[in-house]
Amino acid sequence: MATGMPECSPAMLVAAGLAVLAICSYLATIVVRHGAAGAQRYPPVVGTVFHQVYHLRRLHDYFTDLFREHATFRLLAPGGRRQIYTSDTAVVEHILRTNFANYEKGASNYDKMGDLFGDGIFAVDGDKWKQQRKIASYDFSTRALRDFSGGVFNRNAAKLAHIVAGNAAAKQPMDFQALLMKATMDSIFTIAFGVDLGTLSGSDEGSRFAAAFDDASEFILLRYVDAFWKVSRFLNVGAEAALRHRIKVVDEFVYKCIRARADEMSDGSKAHGVEG
C-alpha cells in the first residue's frame, strides 16, 4: 500500500542519526558551559528565606553553619527575588567601599526599617544618606571625640570584665551575649547622647529601653520573612502590635534624653551669657 512517503535507505538513516547526535552534543555542550559559567558567576543557592523562620531562635548559629560551607551564598525569596549573604572580605569591601553607590538599601528595606530607624543612616539612600554620613564623619573625625569614645569603651569593658569575673568566681551562669549587648548599648548611648544607660549596672529605665530596642530589632527582622506584615500592622495585631509598643518605649526614652541634653546646653549658654 502506498503511503506517499519516500523510502529511506540505511545510509540516510545513519546520516540522520549522526546529525541528531551532533546537534544534541552541541546543545549539551552549550548547557554545560552555561551552567559552569553561571556557577562561577553566581553564589550557590543554599535554601530559602523560610529557613530563616525555622531557625529564627538560632539564626546566628544557622548562618555560621552556612558560612562554614560557603563564603558567599544565596537564599531564595518569594516573587523570584534572591538574598545574597557574604563573609568574603573582598566582597564586603567591594560593596561598602569600592562600589558603594551601586548597592542602595532600596525602597523595600526603607519600608521595613523606617518605623524603627526613621531617616537615619541605617535606612536611607542618596542625599539623605550623604547628609547623615557627613554629620557622623564630622563628629567622629575630631580627636577629642575619638579619645572620649575610647575612654567610654574602656570603662564599659572594665565593667563587663568585672561582672564576668564575679560570676565565674561564684560559678554562676551568665548570658554572655546579653552582657555584650548591654556593654555596647551603654557605650554607644554615652557617646551619642552623653547619657549612661547603666544597663550593666542594672538601671531599670536603661534596661527597659535596651530590651525594647532589642525586641523591636527582632520584629523588624520578621518583616523580611512575613509576606503579610503590612496587614498585621494595619490591624495592629501580633508581632506588629508588639513592635508598635516597643517603638513607643524607644521613642519616649530617646526624646527624653534629647530634651534633657537640649536643656543642659541651653542652661549652659545662658550661664555663659550671664558671666559674659
Side-chain angles (χ1 to χ4, degrees), residues 1-171:
M1 181 176 64
T3 61
M5 296 180 61
E7 294 184 2
C8 296
S9 66
M12 292 179 62
L13 291 175
V14 171
L18 291 175
V20 171
L21 181 61
I23 293 173
C24 291
S25 299
Y26 175 74
L27 293 176
T29 301
I30 292 177
V31 170
V32 170
R33 288 179 178 176
H34 179 74
Q40 293 175 357
R41 182 177 180 183
Y42 299 107
V45 174
V46 298
T48 71
V49 294
F50 300 107
H51 287 83
Q52 297 178 80
V53 180
Y54 181 78
H55 295 285
L56 189 61
R57 293 300 173 185
R58 57 177 300 274
L59 196 59
H60 294 92
D61 294 323
Y62 169 65
F63 277 110
T64 299
D65 292 340
L66 292 177
F67 280 126
R68 287 195 178 104
E69 299 293 329
H70 309 282
T72 304
F73 57 83
R74 291 179 292 164
L75 295 180
L76 300 180
R81 302 178 64 185
R82 293 169 296 278
Q83 296 180 356
I84 300 177
Y85 297 83
T86 185
S87 60
D88 188 329
T89 55
V91 176
V92 173
E93 182 178 10
H94 173 77
I95 294 173
L96 296 182
R97 183 179 181 182
T98 309
N99 199 21
F100 179 77
N102 195 47
Y103 295 92
E104 294 186 342
K105 301 173 187 70
S108 178
N109 283 316
Y110 179 79
D111 197 25
K112 294 179 177 67
M113 297 190 296
D115 288 340
L116 179 61
F117 295 108
D119 286 340
I121 194 171
F122 297 110
V124 295
D125 292 308
D127 292 337
K128 288 184 177 180
W129 182 88
K130 290 179 181 178
Q131 181 184 16
Q132 295 284 345
R133 178 68 176 84
K134 184 177 181 180
I135 294 172
S137 63
Y138 174 77
D139 288 341
F140 286 93
S141 64
T142 61
R143 180 180 179 85
L145 185 56
R146 288 201 303 271
D147 292 342
F148 172 70
S149 302
V152 170
F153 281 113
N154 287 337
R155 286 195 299 273
N156 285 319
K159 289 182 182 178
L160 176 62
H162 179 72
I163 294 172
V164 172
N167 287 337
K171 296 183 179 180

Side-chain angles (χ1 to χ4, degrees), residues 222-240:
L222 284 175
R223 288 181 170 182
Y224 284 87
V225 294
D226 181 4
F228 304 102
W229 69 267
K230 287 187 177 181
V231 176
S232 298
R233 183 176 65 177
F234 177 77
L235 298 175
N236 193 32
V237 296
E240 289 297 317

Side-chain angles (χ1 to χ4, degrees), residues 237-258:
V237 296
E240 289 297 317
L243 173 61
R244 181 171 297 182
H245 175 263
R246 302 305 193 278
I247 290 177
K248 181 180 179 182
V249 173
V250 170
D251 286 347
E252 287 176 351
F253 186 82
V254 170
Y255 283 119
K256 177 183 176 181
C257 292
I258 292 174

